[in-house]
Amino acid sequence: MVIRNKRFTPEVLLSAPRQSVAVPNHDATLALYTLTQYSFDTHSETKEVRIVNLDTGASTLFTSDSNAHDAVWLGDGTNAIMWLQSGAKSITSLMIGDADEPTKPSYTADVILAPFSNLKVKSLGDGTIAVAMTGLATPGGSLYNDETAEKGYSTARIYETNSVRYWDTYRTPQRTVIWYSKLAKSKGLYSLAAPVHNALKGTELESPIFEPLGDPQADFDISTSGIIFNAKDPSINLSINDKSDIYFIPLSTFTEAETPKPRPIKTGTYDGAASSVSFSPDGEQVVFLKSAQNRWKDGVSRVMLVSNISKSLHGTEILTSGDEKGAWSLTPSSITWGSDGKELFLTAEDTGRVALFRMSASPTQKDMPERLIREGSVSGVSPLGTGSTLLVSCSSFVENSLYRIVDTSDLSYKRVVLSSSKGGSKLGLSPEQVSEIYYRGSGSQQVHAWVIKPSFFTATKRYPLALLIHGGPISAWNEAWSTRWNPAVFAEQGYIVIAPNICGTPGYGQKFVHDIDNEYGGRPYEDLEMLFEHVKAQLHYVDTDNAVALGASYGGYMVNWIQGNPLGRKFKALVCHDGVFSKPSPRSAPFQDLTRSSTTGTLNFIAGDFLAGDHDFGGPLYPWSNFVNLRKWDPSRPELLSNWSTPMMVVHSDRDYRCLLEDGLAAFNVLQIKGVPSKFLNFPDENHFVLKPENSLVWHETVFGWINKYSGIEDRQKDG
């Protein structure tokens, strides 16, 4: 389906085709990807596994079965594809087909009586294929299928730690683990040579580690040497620690009846969170990211290398600085091996983008990573064969998915393979709508902000300001596509959207990140005040007299803070989505939530010394020992609530266990009691994000209806 629109509306945003990262085959001629699309006509989602020709850009349908997922190249030197297919009662079929003959019937390699995901395969060099995937296990280590498991007569839950629920789900006794086996060929067809085996049986380890914004496939990898994976250390209190470690399980056949005990990789004094682990092409080296300290937002994730996994279980930092700050000021978020195993490709947030970098894989490397791409945001990268070219998946504010080939020996060569929206034109957007500014913020720091204009922008007219405040706060407005808080869809309502990367944003050096320490409502708020004045003085086409401000998560907290402070009087309307209302009061959000988003920084103090809070509020998160600092940045202080007078809409969902529903209700009740025009939008089936397309459409329509009413855009729309 080709979408061509004159105006980019919420419905167009939510029904536009969404493409996964593209993965090339063995000879770099084809790439595999998944395309999903929602229809508001049929109120259903379609899913396709597709193959793109890397030379012509032609895309071919492989399967449109909506139950097919986790498609990968089989890796046997042919264009065979393997995927998982969900069936009745959550059983999983291991399917194999041929990309060279997509109309040829596929076949079932095996059936497993439980749900599985995150499929990985690796040729063992003897005609067999190692297979690994993830699924639930019972406390005893057996396969678990919730649909077929025997249920008790009581629904009671009993816990002995405060790790009761996370993100949107209550913890259960079952654990997510890695299962392995191998495929062997008989009479021309592959099948499992042995039943899948629980790699973590007999341990208390769990992998992948669930993170709502993370990539579970980056938490484990397989090679001819065995399995490498990331897991939290069960011997420490998981409720108050962000620490995780990389473990190695040596395997040679992937049919071992008794799995060797996982062996932790030693990283010396680096005892923070680990991520993005992978084997080198030859299976002998391992690379991963590791934080230095066991606390969230401690600084740069370090690139760690194990030079020979069969001889040493010691990780060495590449680009060591001799102190705890790291030699590189940016924080890598992913690592990919080069085809020769001698270089690494890293992605990192970089001044409002997710850029691609290259560096040597040598542990004695001294040169800083070389930036290869700083256009939009890179979401995936794969070497093409043994040459110098890469297949890069990326997006921008106007392009929802782009595949291109980059030559690392000649960076001027960047060939587009497939553009989902043709540079935004299919969606009624263009790159000319996007620009950026720098202005003087708090502490005389230069602060970066994105400016997105409507497609019908005329320089002689003025358009109301829509100020978007990002969450985190250790997060960023990166030039990337999203169906949540998409700046372009706000601009198309008739706003000049300004999305600032205020104090605390990564991608501008670690000092800028840590400038928010014990300044929760301080320097970031000052950055917003100074931005408002800069826009008013410098951008003649922006109507600041009819401005609106919106934010979610930490941005929602900041909206509550703005409402009680002088900046709140400069806006015609506000929108607070999942914002914290009261800082120094106990809530039930667990530590794992606050380690990934300090928005919940003081919402829980039951389990002990929450290490993340030492940064955010100048001391522990406990009201009885750090009340002054916590109270200082509390939006619900009476002297601030007395100022609440700007019309405000509050959005909060029932399954948000990160920023709790009670905070949204409290903020709304204050507005109602004070007689301030207000509206409350609630979704009983959503979490911290509004993800279901029908709910998201209501979110957009309700939010736009609210801000358009007060900014004057509603009247303009009525007048045509």
Side-chain angles (χ1 to χ4, degrees):
M1 175 181 178
V2 176
I3 294 181
R4 299 185 186 278
N5 298 277
K6 293 183 179 179
R7 185 65 61 84
F8 184 53
T9 64
E11 191 166 347
V12 172
L13 165 69
L14 298 168
S15 60
R18 300 184 300 281
Q19 296 175 178
S20 69
V21 169
V23 179
N25 64 349
H26 67 288
D27 61 3
T29 58
L30 305 173
L32 192 63
Y33 69 99
T34 301
L35 184 147
T36 58
Q37 186 168 16
Y38 189 83
S39 169
F40 286 100
D41 293 329
T42 62
H43 305 286
S44 62
E45 183 180 76
T46 57
K47 182 187 297 183
E48 299 176 348
V49 177
R50 301 189 68 88
I51 302 164
V52 60
N53 185 301
L54 295 180
D55 183 39
T56 67
S59 178
T60 304
L61 175 67
F62 181 74
T63 178
S64 58
D65 191 326
S66 61
N67 292 314
H69 58 97
D70 288 282
V72 297
W73 298 107
L74 188 57
D76 62 348
T78 72
N79 285 328
I81 296 174
M82 181 177 181
W83 69 97
L84 305 180
Q85 187 150 316
S86 303
K89 295 188 180 299
S90 295
I91 67 170
T92 300
S93 297
L94 278 59
M95 308 297 298
I96 296 177
D98 189 349
D100 291 330
E101 299 182 77
T103 59
K104 181 181 178 180
S106 56
Y107 67 92
T108 303
D110 218 307
V111 175
I112 307 173
L113 303 179
F116 280 88
S117 59
N118 302 312
L119 174 66
K120 291 198 174 188
V121 296
K122 180 68 177 180
S123 172
L124 294 178
D126 59 357
T128 64
I129 308 292
V131 177
M133 47 197 161
T134 64
L136 290 176
T138 66
S142 302
L143 279 172
Y144 180 79
N145 185 335
D146 189 63
E147 284 203 46
T148 59
E150 183 178 348
K151 303 295 192 298
Y153 294 102
S154 171
T155 59
R157 304 183 184 109
I158 300 174
Y159 299 89
E160 294 185 350
T161 74
N162 82 321
S163 184
V164 172
R165 60 185 188 179
Y166 181 63
W167 191 246
D168 62 2
T169 305
Y170 277 81
R171 301 282 191 180
T172 68
Q174 293 76 39
R175 293 180 296 119
T176 301
V177 300
I178 301 165
W179 300 82
Y180 70 87
S181 183
K182 75 175 180 181
L183 295 170
K185 209 171 212 181
S186 176
K187 297 180 180 180
L189 301 178
Y190 284 105
S191 62
L192 287 183
V196 292
H197 194 78
N198 180 355
L200 308 186
K201 188 173 183 178
T203 75
E204 296 181 37
L205 298 171
E206 184 169 8
S207 186
I209 300 170
F210 172 71
E211 290 297 342
L213 296 178
D215 177 7
Q217 294 222 4
D219 263 353
F220 75 103
D221 199 13
I222 62 174
S223 78
T224 53
S225 300
I227 299 174
I228 196 90
F229 65 94
N230 183 26
K232 290 184 178 291
D233 182 352
S235 68
I236 62 176
N237 189 334
L238 300 182
S239 299
I240 60 172
N241 286 275
D242 197 31
K243 180 179 186 291
S244 67
D245 294 303
I246 302 299
Y247 295 82
F248 173 57
I249 300 176
L251 297 173
S252 58
T253 68
F254 277 77
T255 55
E256 285 85 348
E258 294 295 327
T259 305
K261 183 179 179 180
R263 306 173 185 178
I265 303 298
K266 299 175 183 178
T267 55
T269 60
Y270 295 70
D271 65 348
S275 63
S276 196
V277 60
S278 64
F279 280 106
S280 59
D282 63 5
E284 288 299 314
Q285 301 180 85
V286 170
V287 69
F288 58 96
L289 299 176
K290 181 75 170 177
S291 296
Q293 299 181 36
N294 181 19
R295 59 177 65 187
W296 178 70
K297 193 166 69 72
D298 76 301
V300 180
S301 292
R302 319 304 166 84
V303 181
M304 308 293 290
L305 177 72
V306 181
S307 297
N308 191 322
I309 192 68
S310 62
K311 295 182 179 180
S312 171
L313 296 177
H314 180 74
T316 301
E317 182 187 1
I318 303 178
L319 294 178
T320 181
S321 63
D323 56 26
E324 294 187 351
K325 296 181 179 180
W328 197 31
S329 64
L330 299 182
T331 300
S333 52
S334 71
I335 316 175
T336 302
W337 283 94
S339 57
D340 60 1
K342 295 181 180 179
E343 58 183 4
L344 302 169
F345 298 99
L346 297 83
T347 60
E349 290 181 299
D350 181 14
T351 59
R353 301 154 177 90
V354 179
L356 178 65
F357 298 83
R358 172 175 57 184
M359 66 180 290
S360 168
S362 168
T364 59
Q365 164 72 10
K366 299 298 182 183
D367 295 333
M368 291 298 104
E370 174 194 6
R371 184 191 290 118
L372 301 178
I373 296 177
R374 186 180 170 269
E375 304 166 18
S377 289
V378 174
S379 54
V381 57
S382 298
L384 291 175
T386 58
S388 59
T389 55
L390 305 172
L391 177 61
V392 179
S393 302
C394 51
S395 69
S396 71
F397 283 140
V398 299
E399 172 65 79
N400 63 344
S401 179
L402 175 69
Y403 304 149
R404 60 183 172 186
I405 293 176
V406 175
D407 190 339
T408 60
S409 65
D410 178 9
L411 296 181
S412 65
Y413 180 84
K414 296 175 183 177
R415 178 170 64 84
V416 173
V417 175
L418 183 64
S419 171
S420 177
S421 62
K422 302 298 182 185
S425 62
K426 284 187 178 181
L427 303 175
L429 302 173
S430 70
E432 289 72 26
Q433 292 176 239
V434 181
S435 59
E436 52 193 314
I437 60 173
Y438 279 86
Y439 68 96
R440 184 176 178 179
S442 61
S444 298
Q445 174 75 46
Q446 287 294 300
V447 180
H448 175 236
W450 291 104
V451 180
I452 300 92
K453 304 179 182 72
S455 60
F456 46 88
F457 173 79
T458 301
T460 57
K461 295 184 178 180
R462 301 180 76 227
Y463 303 83
L465 165 66
L467 175 63
L468 302 187
I469 309 169
H470 68 62
I474 313 306
S475 183
W477 284 118
N478 288 320
E479 189 189 7
W481 189 261
S482 177
T483 54
R484 298 180 296 106
W485 292 88
N486 183 297
V489 80
F490 280 85
E492 288 302 279
Q493 291 293 305
Y495 293 96
I496 299 296
V497 173
I498 298 190
N501 283 324
I502 54 179
C503 170
T505 303
Y508 303 87
Q510 283 302 300
K511 180 183 181 304
F512 193 65
V513 172
H514 284 282
D515 280 345
I516 197 175
D517 292 352
N518 201 24
E519 288 282 343
Y520 225 64
R523 292 190 60 175
Y525 173 79
E526 293 172 21
D527 285 346
L528 295 174
E529 282 188 310
M530 299 173 83
L531 170 63
F532 192 95
E533 295 306 315
H534 175 86
V535 170
K536 184 175 182 179
Q538 300 295 327
L539 303 185
H540 63 86
Y541 52 85
V542 180
D543 177 6
T544 55
D545 293 332
N546 290 291
V548 296
L550 311 89
S553 196
Y554 173 77
Y557 159 85
M558 182 54 71
V559 167
N560 285 336
W561 186 258
I562 286 172
Q563 177 72 281
N565 282 279
L567 185 56
R569 310 292 76 78
K570 297 183 180 182
F571 294 103
K572 292 293 186 181
L574 301 170
V575 176
C576 171
H577 177 116
D578 294 349
V580 171
F581 172 74
S582 179
K583 275 296 179 188
S585 56
R587 295 290 187 271
S588 58
F591 173 79
Q592 288 89 339
D593 281 339
L594 73 89
T595 62
R596 291 303 178 195
S597 173
S598 65
T599 300
T600 53
T602 61
L603 294 187
N604 182 295
F605 56 86
I606 298 172
D609 183 13
F610 295 113
L611 302 177
D614 289 350
H615 283 298
D616 293 333
F617 299 100
L621 297 177
Y622 315 126
W624 58 81
S625 62
N626 193 25
F627 184 83
V628 173
N629 282 339
L630 299 179
R631 191 62 168 166
K632 179 179 180 181
W633 307 121
D634 180 11
S636 68
R637 289 186 351 231
E639 67 271 24
L640 297 180
L641 292 181
S642 65
N643 298 328
W644 284 36
S645 56
T646 300
M648 188 164 101
M649 177 178 168
V650 178
V651 184
H652 228 109
S653 298
D654 287 14
R655 296 183 64 192
D656 186 353
Y657 302 155
R658 174 154 292 185
C659 299
L660 304 184
L661 174 64
E662 289 76 8
D663 281 280
L665 290 171
F668 178 64
N669 287 342
V670 168
L671 294 163
Q672 288 283 298
I673 292 169
K674 289 177 63 64
V676 178
S678 49
K679 181 176 290 190
F680 184 73
L681 175 61
N682 169 259
F683 296 99
D685 55 346
E686 298 284 5
N687 53 40
H688 200 54
F689 304 146
V690 178
L691 299 175
K692 298 179 180 179
E694 301 284 352
N695 286 345
S696 184
L697 183 60
V698 171
W699 185 96
H700 282 89
E701 291 174 342
T702 308
V703 168
F704 289 163
W706 179 258
I707 61 176
N708 291 353
K709 174 182 177 181
Y710 290 97
S711 66
I713 283 183
E714 180 181 84
D715 293 336
R716 296 184 193 181
Q717 291 173 340
K718 290 178 180 178
D719 294 339

